[in-house]
């Protein structure tokens, strides 16, 4: 099975799930069309759902479950089978395949009674899985919706139960049934880590992982824009340069000479990239300070033109491959590769969305400072966050970031209180003398 991405004649990017014979799988594709595409979900979201369904099919094959036939005959999945699906869903696809491969191995080893414990130790699988609770939750939600939909469509007289049962056992989106606590386990970077990343990607850094000078300047601009704007990958890769058809998305205001970037939410149906970058949130304007503008103009004027064919590409960030006759707009996968290269140098994981989390951490700290100085209020600062991140009013994402900052501040305060109290206790308790 594989997911194939294509573009319709209208320019819309979409995906389709193909079986082993190369033919589209009717039920899987109909489900995604009805429940995701027809509800205006982003093409990347539809692609991820197809990937989840592909993994569900692998799990069912391993468990010897013919999902379609079972639903047709009304022999719905048992609670035990659903629990097994849930258990496998907490593994990375690669981990699951390794486990499945070991179980299917034809080389059966005879286990001596005295070696039973040793043999047991080799087949233990982490019961908690090796992916985040958030990913497992989303994966199981798709599984539940698809199986429940199949039951209702193929054997409606019996009444669907799988969706309810799977959602009941999928666990919490944040890994605990209690109040979500993610203090110390967040995807943002600490200030010292941000400094380390920005230092490594300097074009003149001896640790810079890229040899080509244009690529060094391009990647420096990309990373700095992520940290300064807090935008998503799709939003960054949609930024356009000036062409005959439109203005540049990075512009200068005549009133004060300040630069800003227009982050667009509209879908570019003429974008020919296989996985077309898309905006997930509302369009908005973000300011650019002089440091960022200098990097932008340096890349745009002195380095981008060195990419053959760049004058025909409407997007700011392009490939710089001297081996090809024409380059192309940078892809989502290539941005991920940039951050993997950085991670290999700095020794800790860096990825594009971590910059968005980091931006929100910095915003929370800056907002606290301004509130303390009487320059704004908590309500206004959160309204500003929503606007700058492109979220709707009352967004759950905005509330999560604000709550996370409050939780961390409370935990730090409690820690400082304990340490101060411990210092006092250690200076008194056990320090007896005759006078005391």
């Amino acid at each position: 099975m594989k997911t194939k991405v294509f573009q319709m004649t209208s320019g819309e990017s979409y995906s389709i799930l193909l079986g082993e014979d190369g033919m589209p799988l009717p039920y899987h594709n109909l489900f995604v069309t009805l429940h995701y595409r027809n509800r205006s979900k982003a093409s990347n979201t539809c692609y991820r759902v197809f990937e989840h369904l592909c993994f569900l099919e692998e799990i069912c094959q391993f468990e010897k479950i013919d999902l379609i036939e079972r639903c047709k005959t009304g022999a719905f999945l048992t609670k035990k089978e659903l629990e097994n699906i849930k258990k496998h869903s907490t593994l990375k696809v690669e981990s699951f395949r390794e486990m499945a491969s070991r179980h299917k191995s034809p080389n059966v080893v005879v286990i001596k009674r005295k070696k039973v414990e040793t043999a047991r130790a080799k087949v233990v699988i982490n019961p908690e899985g090796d992916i985040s609770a958030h990913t497992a939750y989303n994966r199981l939600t798709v599984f539940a919706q698809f199986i429940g939909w199949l039951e209702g469509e193929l054997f409606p007289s019996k009444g669907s139960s799988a969706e309810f049962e799977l959602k009941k056992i999928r666990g919490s989106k944040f890994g605990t049934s209690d109040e979500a606590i993610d203090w110390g386990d967040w995807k943002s970077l600490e200030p010292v880590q941000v400094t380390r990343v920005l230092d490594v990607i300097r074009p003149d850094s001896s640790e810079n992982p890229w040899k080509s000078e244009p690529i060094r300047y391009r990647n420096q601009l990309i990373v700095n824009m992520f940290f300064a704007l807090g935008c998503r990958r799709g939003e960054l890769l949609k930024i356009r340069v000036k062409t005959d058809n439109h203005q540049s998305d990075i512009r200068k205001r005549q009133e004060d000479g300040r630069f800003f970037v227009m982050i667009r939410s509209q879908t570019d149906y003429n974008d020919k990239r296989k996985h077309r970058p898309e905006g997930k949130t509302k369009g908005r304007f973000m300011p650019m300070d002089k440091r960022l503008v200098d990097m932008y103009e340096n890349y745009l004027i002195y380095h981008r033109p060195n990419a053959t064919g760049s004058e025909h590409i409407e997007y700011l960030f392009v490939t710089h491959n001297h081996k090809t006759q024409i380059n192309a707009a940078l892809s989502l996968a290539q941005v991920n590769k940039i951050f993997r290269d950085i991670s290999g140098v700095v020794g800790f994981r860096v990825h594009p969305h971590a910059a968005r989390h980091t931006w929100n951490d910095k915003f929370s700290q800056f907002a606290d400072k301004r509130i303390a100085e009487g320059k704004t209020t908590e309500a206004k600062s959160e309204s500003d966050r929503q606007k700058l991140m492109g979220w709707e009013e009352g967004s759950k994402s905005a509330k999560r970031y604000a709550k996370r900052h409050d939780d961390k501040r409370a935990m730090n305060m409690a820690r400082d209180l304990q340490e101060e109290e411990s210092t006092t206790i250690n200076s008194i308790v056990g320090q007896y003398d005759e006078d005391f």
Side-chain angles (χ1 to χ4, degrees):
M1 295 176 65
K2 68 175 181 178
T3 306
K4 181 179 180 180
V5 181
F6 64 96
Q7 283 195 347
M8 301 181 181
T9 54
S10 63
E12 178 186 353
S13 179
Y14 196 54
S15 308
I16 190 169
L17 189 59
L18 305 176
E20 300 297 337
D21 57 358
M23 296 298 291
L25 297 173
Y27 294 107
H28 301 73
N29 289 294
L30 180 59
F31 168 76
V32 176
T33 300
L34 291 175
H35 291 266
Y36 289 88
R37 179 180 177 272
N38 289 358
R39 295 179 183 178
S40 301
K41 298 296 184 182
S43 60
N44 288 336
T45 300
C46 296
Y47 179 83
R48 286 195 298 271
V49 172
F50 277 125
E51 291 292 281
H52 290 327
L53 294 180
C54 192
F55 185 40
L56 173 62
E57 195 65 25
E58 288 191 48
I59 293 174
C60 287
Q61 289 177 6
F62 176 74
E63 292 290 336
K64 296 181 172 56
I65 297 172
D66 189 331
L67 193 55
I68 305 298
E69 288 303 315
R70 290 279 296 272
C71 290
K72 284 181 178 179
T73 60
F76 294 169
L77 273 59
T78 64
K79 288 186 178 181
K80 178 63 176 175
E81 288 172 325
L82 293 174
E83 287 172 357
N84 286 339
I85 289 175
K86 189 241 178 178
K87 177 184 67 177
H88 298 319
S89 72
T90 61
L91 300 173
K92 290 180 180 178
V93 176
E94 296 79 7
S95 301
F96 172 79
R97 287 173 179 167
E98 289 175 7
M99 181 273 296
S101 178
R102 290 197 301 270
H103 279 73
K104 291 180 180 179
S105 174
N107 300 322
V108 179
V109 179
V110 177
I111 301 175
K112 298 180 180 180
R113 289 187 178 182
K114 292 183 180 180
K115 299 292 184 179
V116 168
E117 293 304 320
T118 304
R120 270 198 202 119
K122 292 181 180 179
V123 295
V124 171
I125 300 172
N126 179 10
E128 297 180 357
D130 53 8
I131 62 174
S132 70
H134 184 269
T135 302
Y137 179 95
N138 290 339
R139 185 182 278 173
L140 275 170
T141 299
V142 173
F143 290 0
Q145 291 172 342
F146 177 63
I147 299 173
W149 175 78
L150 272 181
E151 291 178 344
E153 289 293 319
L154 299 180
F155 208 92
S157 60
K158 186 173 181 179
S160 175
S161 61
E163 182 169 3
F164 172 78
E165 291 295 337
L166 261 182
K167 286 183 176 180
K168 187 170 70 173
I169 63 174
R170 69 184 165 182
S172 168
K173 195 171 187 176
F174 304 108
T176 172
S177 58
D178 299 323
E179 182 181 8
I181 299 176
D182 55 11
W183 184 71
D185 189 26
W186 195 247
K187 294 181 181 178
S188 59
L189 301 181
E190 294 297 327
V192 65
Q193 293 178 311
V194 175
T195 302
R196 172 74 172 132
V197 169
L198 298 183
D199 190 55
V200 163
I201 63 169
R202 284 184 298 107
D204 60 348
S205 170
S206 61
E207 294 183 283
N208 193 298
W210 308 290
K211 295 180 180 179
S212 166
E213 184 178 68
I215 290 178
R216 287 188 172 203
Y217 280 95
R218 181 200 67 189
N219 293 353
Q220 182 192 35
L221 176 60
I222 287 174
V223 175
N224 276 274
M225 287 186 77
F226 271 125
F227 281 115
L229 305 178
C231 59
R232 298 175 181 272
R233 284 182 314 161
E235 294 171 335
L236 190 78
L237 293 184
K238 281 164 61 72
I239 295 175
R240 302 174 301 189
V241 296
K242 185 180 183 338
T243 66
D244 293 337
N245 298 323
H246 53 72
Q247 296 185 61
S248 170
D249 289 336
I250 297 180
R251 305 174 193 173
K252 182 180 181 180
R253 287 201 313 188
Q254 296 303 320
E255 297 83 359
D256 56 11
R258 298 296 298 271
F259 280 77
F260 66 89
V261 55
M262 184 171 67
I263 296 177
R264 298 177 299 109
S265 60
Q266 300 93 339
T267 299
D268 293 344
Y269 289 114
N270 60 339
D271 189 343
K272 302 303 180 184
R273 283 174 280 192
K274 183 177 181 181
H275 294 283
R276 182 167 54 209
E278 294 182 356
K280 190 176 179 181
T281 46
K282 295 169 64 177
R284 58 201 182 276
F285 297 102
M286 291 290 288
M288 294 175 64
D289 66 1
K290 185 179 183 305
R291 182 183 65 91
L292 209 57
V293 171
D294 287 346
M295 288 184 192
Y296 159 68
E297 292 186 332
N298 185 289
Y299 172 66
L300 182 69
I301 297 170
Y302 300 108
H303 301 287
R304 188 179 185 275
N306 293 332
T308 306
S310 61
E311 66 273 18
H312 303 298
I313 303 171
E314 62 179 304
Y315 298 100
L316 172 61
F317 296 111
V318 299
T319 58
H320 289 265
N321 189 347
H322 65 278
K323 295 180 181 179
T324 61
Q325 293 184 349
I326 188 167
N327 284 277
L330 205 65
S331 69
L332 294 166
Q334 286 165 331
V335 171
N336 289 343
K337 174 67 165 52
I338 291 171
F339 280 82
R340 286 199 301 272
D341 291 342
I342 297 171
S343 301
V345 176
V346 299
F348 52 84
R349 186 173 180 239
V350 189
H351 60 95
H353 210 68
R356 188 169 171 87
H357 291 302
T358 304
W359 186 95
N360 273 277
D361 276 358
K362 290 182 178 179
F363 179 87
S364 295
Q365 294 164 6
F366 188 68
D368 278 354
K369 180 182 177 182
R370 290 176 62 85
I371 291 170
E373 294 170 348
K375 295 180 179 179
T376 188
T377 64
E378 187 172 341
K380 287 181 180 179
S381 67
E382 288 311 312
S383 176
D384 291 342
R385 186 202 300 270
Q386 290 171 13
K387 185 172 184 178
L388 294 171
M389 289 288 95
W391 291 319
E392 298 284 351
E393 186 177 349
S395 164
K396 291 182 179 179
S397 294
K399 291 178 180 177
R400 275 191 64 209
Y401 281 113
K403 179 184 179 301
R404 187 261 174 174
H405 179 66
D406 291 343
D407 288 348
K408 186 171 184 177
R409 183 175 56 206
M411 293 288 277
N412 285 335
M413 183 178 292
R415 181 197 59 200
D416 293 344
L417 173 63
Q418 288 182 7
E419 289 179 351
E420 183 177 306
E421 185 70 8
S422 292
T423 301
T424 303
I425 291 172
N426 289 337
S427 68
I428 299 174
V429 176
Q431 306 300 317
Y432 304 126
D433 54 31
E434 293 180 359
D435 292 339
F436 183 80

